[in-house]
Amino acid sequence: MPYDIILAGLGAVGSSTAVHLSGRGLRVLGLDRFHPPHTMGSSHGGSRVIRETAFEHPRYVPLARRAYENWRRLEAATETSLLHVTGVLYVGTEGGEIVGGTLASARQHGIKHEILDTAALARRYPLLHDLNAAIAVFEPGAGWIDPEGAVAAALRYAATRGIELQFDEPLTRWEAAGEGVRVTTTRGTYEAKRLLLAAGAWMPQLLGAAGRGLTVERQVQHWFEPASPVATLPVFIRQTEEAVCYALPPAVRADGAIKIAVHHDGAPTTADTVRREVGPEEVAATRGLLERYAPALAGPHRGSVVCLYTNSPDGQFVIDRHPDHRSVVVASPCSGFGFKFASAVGEILARLLLDEGAGDFDLAPFQVGRLSGRPG
């Protein structure tokens, strides 16, 4: 008997979609090439920033608000602590992408925030150095979310409510089969009325020509033990002359190490050929940024891990039906800032798979056709 829906990829987005499809009496199969949560894709690292503001574009604010609601619902349903509100500090020049974009989205959508001029920023957060003319925006309602915990909780919830999950089973091929789809994996062949492609960094090869323009970027996350106490420093994102870097000071690791990473500084790669090892020169480069801008964080290095960004040419998400196969839904909430939205994107994808539309959300900016220059 064919399935109603097959979910290809059970990371942040696929697991959240499984949550919203569960308990409906549908025959749903979820597939993943590994055993999530895992460290091979984009849904790991111990912590991810979550924020209501969106320096990328104000259009993401309503999606973020729904995500907050859905993460809280998942917490309640699974008795799991996932979302931690600590506040987030955005540091940069007044007209820069990080500060300027954050302020634009906060003002347009009425998000609570505080502006700190250079002197106020230096007084409140003396651990930040080399400020020059930098100012900051503080968003008290922002914080961090546990990515591995979120994926694990979503999959546990879905499995107890009728979703069939199969791990360590890579999808090797998909094709139209009448009005539905046929999926081939390393273990067998399955048919379904609908297919969700939400395979993260494997999306370029699964989409083929329709995904032209999607690229994969190797990113490295580092953990440093603070050289001195950092209790007064919240999660922060800082735009400097060299880079946009971010730190998650809450002690989410047993050794108290702080996560440090540089946003969009990685080399092009593919999901299957990425270099997983992290070299000493990469650690040294990140330490150099810390020593200049936040030396209190530049203590002993405690670890590094590779993560994958899947990027679209315009930096926006891809959430749409496949242009040639209307029974296939495509999801790549990508470009390095998608995890926080996964609980809301999963809700939207479930609606699309059930032909219920996208609800209150405008998906026009996320059409897959723009990747290959085709009209939506």
Side-chain angles (χ1 to χ4, degrees), residues 91-93 117-119 121-123 125-136 233 236-243 245 287-296:
V91 182
T93 59
D117 64 20
T118 308
L121 178 60
R123 285 194 304 271
Y125 303 110
L127 295 177
L128 297 178
H129 286 210
D130 204 8
L131 291 174
N132 295 321
I135 66 169
L233 190 63
F236 73 83
I237 302 173
R238 182 166 182 183
Q239 185 170 18
T240 70
E241 294 177 358
E242 302 97 328
C245 56
R287 180 182 294 281
L289 286 173
L290 291 177
E291 289 173 343
R292 177 175 178 181
Y293 296 110

Side-chain angles (χ1 to χ4, degrees), residues 79-339:
E79 298 182 340
T80 308
S81 178
L82 302 172
L83 199 164
H84 305 267
V85 175
T86 61
V88 171
L89 185 73
Y90 310 89
V91 182
T93 59
E94 186 171 2
E97 175 191 7
I98 302 302
V99 168
T102 297
L103 278 176
S105 65
R107 287 166 174 163
Q108 180 173 328
H109 291 279
I111 300 169
K112 185 177 181 180
H113 66 282
E114 179 184 4
I115 301 174
L116 303 174
D117 64 20
T118 308
L121 178 60
R123 285 194 304 271
R124 187 179 299 185
Y125 303 110
L127 295 177
L128 297 178
H129 286 210
D130 204 8
L131 291 174
N132 295 321
I135 66 169
V137 179
F138 180 69
E139 181 185 352
W144 61 276
I145 192 164
D146 173 358
E148 288 93 343
V151 171
L155 293 177
R156 286 196 308 271
Y157 180 84
T160 61
R161 290 168 55 84
I163 305 296
E164 180 181 343
L165 303 175
Q166 295 182 195
F167 304 134
D168 301 308
E169 186 168 357
L171 186 154
T172 59
R173 176 182 172 84
W174 66 271
E175 59 191 335
E179 294 184 358
V181 291
R182 181 180 299 112
V183 165
T184 302
T185 74
T186 54
R187 294 186 194 169
T189 301
Y190 312 94
E191 293 190 357
K193 299 175 185 176
R194 296 285 187 272
L195 169 66
L196 171 67
L197 295 176
W202 285 265
M203 289 297 284
Q205 62 203 59
L206 288 178
L207 281 177
R212 187 170 64 238
L214 284 180
T215 58
V216 179
E217 180 182 355
R218 177 183 178 273
Q219 292 286 308
V220 181
Q221 305 170 69
H222 304 278
W223 284 264
F224 289 84
E225 183 179 326
S228 58
V230 295
T232 60
L233 190 63
V235 175
F236 73 83
I237 302 173
R238 182 166 182 183
Q239 185 170 18
T240 70
E241 294 177 358
E242 302 97 328
V244 173
C245 56
Y246 60 92
L248 290 105
V252 298
R253 287 168 51 113
D255 60 8
I258 290 171
K259 179 178 173 180
I260 310 290
V262 176
H263 187 48
H264 282 307
D265 75 329
T269 187
T270 72
D272 294 322
T273 63
V274 60
R275 178 169 62 91
R276 297 284 176 180
E277 301 77 18
V278 177
E281 74 284 356
E282 296 177 286
V283 177
T286 302
R287 180 182 294 281
L289 286 173
L290 291 177
E291 289 173 343
R292 177 175 178 181
Y293 296 110
L297 305 185
H301 174 248
R302 295 305 185 198
S304 300
V305 68
V306 169
C307 172
L308 298 174
Y309 281 4
T310 307
N311 300 319
S312 65
D314 58 7
Q316 308 299 313
F317 293 175
V318 177
I319 304 173
D320 198 5
R321 296 187 184 278
H322 193 287
D324 299 318
H325 304 278
R326 304 303 291 173
S327 58
V328 178
V329 174
V330 176
S332 185
C334 54
S335 300
F337 68 107
F339 188 95

